[in-house]
Amino acid sequence: MSTPERTLHPVTLAEGWSPESWRGKPALQLPQYPDAGALEAALAELRQLPPLVTSWEIFALKKQIAEAQEGKRFLLQGGDCAENFADCESGTISNRLKVLLQMSLVLVHGLRLPVVRVGRFAGQYAKPRSADMETRGEVSLPSYRGDVVNGPEFTAAARVPDPRRMLTAHARSAMTMNFVRALIDGGFADLHHPEYWNLSWVGCSPLAEDYQEMVNSIGDAVRFMETLAGAEVHNLNRIDFYTSHEALLLPYEAALTRQVPRQWGWFNLSTHYPWIGMRTAALDGAHVEYFRGIRNPIAIKVGPSVQPDQLLRLMDALNPDDEPGRLTFIHRMGAGQVAERLPPLLEAVRRDGRRVLWVCDAMHGNTESTTNGYKTRRFANILAEVEQSFDLHAAAGTRLGGVHLELTGEDVTECTGGARELTEADLERAYRSSVDPRLNYEQSLEIAMAIVRKQGQRKGDARA
Ligand code: PEP
Ligand code: CO
């Protein structure tokens, strides 16, 4: 996936930290396992299993994020809100990878910048919940916390947290990762054959012409380079691809936190790029304690209630050495609130001077319910949040360095709007998400094209 890299920036070892030191802090969102013996047995087994990623890949990603912090790359991250064990299936995995690669192609071509490609999958199996219990009628049961913890069925048996599910999550993550690595190594992203990047939908999409034009121009560029060089340009079929997930279930994450030969410190080897959610970002909490000691690049969700001072304290706790590539803030304000909520945060971090990568999650602030009972998001709002974010960063003297989107490679109807102008009535046709509504294939590419258009306009405005 990548070449070994060492970070040259000096970082200090987190004092008093161990992979289990979080156990001494208030831990939110963790399940109560009824059988302590079964839990310990599952964790002992997990500690023996091979990791899912390597420290070399983690350093390579950190370096790419550091470059994105300097405006030399753009980060594209996408995936489902939550993976289910049943999603570990070839069509779902390859279609999702395909749409992410195609979006990255649009971005590389349009922004003239290399893209950091991250899939929030191969481990996105735990979900934070607003209530510990779910009540239906007279019956209250523990909430469903994602497939790594318990089952979604509303039965007492399914809702008991089962520690063996952590082993299944590890196995499914490994299978997902294995397939993604094999597809990429096998030339799934080979720029010599941009025609393979075509999609069945392109034939009938309103975006077809723009997309086809871009594919042709990439093909021309590759042929031009090869004519110039007098040989085939290699490495055009090799790309870097990284994974992320919300590292919520600390017993699982700690069991995959390892030391490696010839490197100091500890690495979370369950994913390249773990996230902390809003609900578990308390400074004195277990999650911040766990994250401060690992050497991975880390991301934190930033919602509309976050105050500037909170961000600065998180920077103190999680990146005291101002290490390049270490910290990403993923803001999710909603199209209606971003203009009011984001600037004070940008201003505080800019004034502070330490580096972060700013990424816009344009999904979570824009969720709404329709009159026919579907949870949806309007394409126009998602796009508006991305576009406003670019402008707000520019006005604040900071830089929007990436986007996070919830998307799928399938032709679902979960978000309204887009080139095909999906309406609320269309939602029932192919609504498959069990959690948040996702952009479908076409809507995802449309967002990528819109980002390019927006940046083109911004550059044009700057020149005018
Ligand atoms: C998410 O990140 O997909 C999500 C639903 O986040 P939260 O539950 O923290 O809002
Ligand atoms: Co979500």
Side-chain angles (χ1 to χ4, degrees), residues 81 120 127-128 279 301 332 364 406 436:
C81 187
R120 195 175 78 164
K127 292 308 288 179
R279 288 172 247 227
K301 301 180 194 178
R332 34 157 68 192
H364 287 93
E406 284 186 351
D436 287 345

Side-chain angles (χ1 to χ4, degrees), residues 156-193:
R159 294 293 174 90
V160 178
D162 176 359
R164 305 277 320 159
R165 282 176 169 270
M166 288 190 275
L167 294 158
T168 311
H170 176 271
R172 300 277 159 133
S173 301
M175 288 178 229
T176 304
M177 200 88 105
N178 179 57
F179 189 40
V180 167
R181 289 178 193 272
L183 285 170
I184 287 174
D185 283 347
F188 200 57
D190 191 347
L191 287 185
H192 290 102
H193 296 288

